[in-house]
Structure formats: C-alpha cells, structure tokens
Amino acid sequence: RHWCLGNGIRTGRRSGRVDKKGGLILCEQGKAPKAVSETRLTPLLSAGRVGPEAGPWIFLVGIWTPADWREELCALYQCEHGPILLECREWSGFQLMEASAEKGCQFYVLHRLADRSALNSRQRERSRATPWFKRLSKHKWFDAAFERVLCYRSSLLWR
C-alpha cells in the first residue's frame, strides 16, 4: 500500500498551508491530480488516529537521514518520540512514511492534530528534550535541517 504526497493545485482533498505557500494533497490510493508535484510514500509506522476524524491540522515533517541512521530514526519514533507526543490529548496520531531517495533516506511524518496548540504542548517540548533526541541533534542532518509545514484540512467535518 502506497500513499502519494502532492503539492500544488487548489482542487480535490487538500490541506492549505498556514504559510500560504500552496497546499498539501494526500492520496491513499491512486495518483495525484494532474499539475501536482507527486511524491510516492511507503508507510512504515503509525500510531493514534490518522484519518479525517483525527482533526483538522496536519503537521508535516520532512526528514532526511544518512542511510546508516535509518533504523535509529524509525526506533526513535516508535519507542520514544511518537509515544510522548501522543500523551498530549490534542496530538491525535502520526504516520511515519518513507520516499525513495538517491542518497540516504527520505522520511515524511504526517502528524495529525486536533488543535494546533499541540505544537506548544509540554509533551512536544519533553519529546525534544530526551537524551536520545539531544544526542541525534548533534548531527547537522537532524532537527534543524527538517522541513516543517503546518496545514489546515478543509473538510465538511470541521464546519
């Protein structure tokens, strides 16, 4: 089962970027609409609620790692970072997915938020202050280099 992540046009099921730099289109099956820059994703791990019922906010984090660090990043999300985030009531769930990369590994994490206040929660702060997270943060490719995009999902569920 593959997902595609698109960035571009304003039609279909999409989420608008809070920074107003386009939109995010998620396709669980099939292909992205024409005129959309598409990235195919393979699901690796998910926890909590990840469908439309999870809330109107999607916090997308793009993470590149050297190939030697793939397993450790996945373990961090499964064993520590993800579970701590889910202790926050407004942090509904997350999906860790992988895209092909010419060099190293390219991950995308789709965090599902019931409320954007989750981004300022004690749990998020704690998840980023663990010895494991701090040790990885010493690498140039970790944390500061991540791409972060906050999107609001347009849906009849939220009107």
Side-chain angles (χ1 to χ4, degrees):
R1 190 166 172 196
H2 293 274
W3 282 66
C4 67
L5 178 67
N7 189 3
I9 63 174
R10 296 186 172 269
T11 60
R13 287 189 172 261
R14 78 180 276 283
S15 298
R17 290 176 57 144
V18 171
D19 63 9
K20 308 284 189 214
K21 294 181 180 178
L24 176 68
I25 299 170
L26 303 174
C27 306
E28 187 170 348
Q29 297 175 353
K31 293 185 177 188
K34 291 181 182 178
V36 170
S37 174
E38 177 184 30
T39 303
R40 304 286 288 171
L41 303 173
T42 301
L44 301 176
L45 166 68
S46 68
R49 295 185 324 271
V50 296
E53 75 285 352
W57 296 96
I58 297 174
F59 183 49
L60 172 69
V61 180
I63 304 169
W64 178 89
T65 69
D68 292 350
W69 291 90
R70 181 186 186 279
E71 296 304 317
E72 184 155 2
L73 182 88
C74 292
L76 173 71
Y77 259 90
Q78 183 173 19
C79 301
E80 184 178 270
H81 192 67
I84 293 172
L85 293 173
L86 292 177
E87 291 174 9
C88 175
R89 195 174 79 226
E90 291 79 25
W91 210 288
S92 302
F94 70 90
Q95 296 163 281
L96 175 64
M97 301 190 199
E98 188 171 16
S100 63
E102 285 187 31
K103 182 179 177 186
C105 301
Q106 179 63 53
F107 298 96
Y108 292 95
V109 187
L110 297 171
H111 294 280
R112 309 302 179 114
L113 311 176
D115 191 277
R116 78 186 280 177
S117 66
L119 295 172
N120 299 315
S121 67
R122 289 180 298 116
Q123 293 86 354
R124 182 172 185 232
E125 186 178 317
R126 192 165 50 94
S127 75
R128 298 168 53 77
T130 66
W132 196 351
F133 195 95
K134 285 182 177 182
R135 180 176 54 81
L136 290 177
S137 293
K138 293 178 182 175
H139 299 281
K140 289 181 183 179
W141 53 265
F142 193 79
D143 194 27
F146 293 175
E147 174 188 13
R148 294 175 176 88
V149 178
L150 180 62
C151 298
Y152 185 80
R153 182 195 326 247
S154 301
S155 171
L156 293 174
L157 292 173
W158 311 114
R159 293 187 181 160

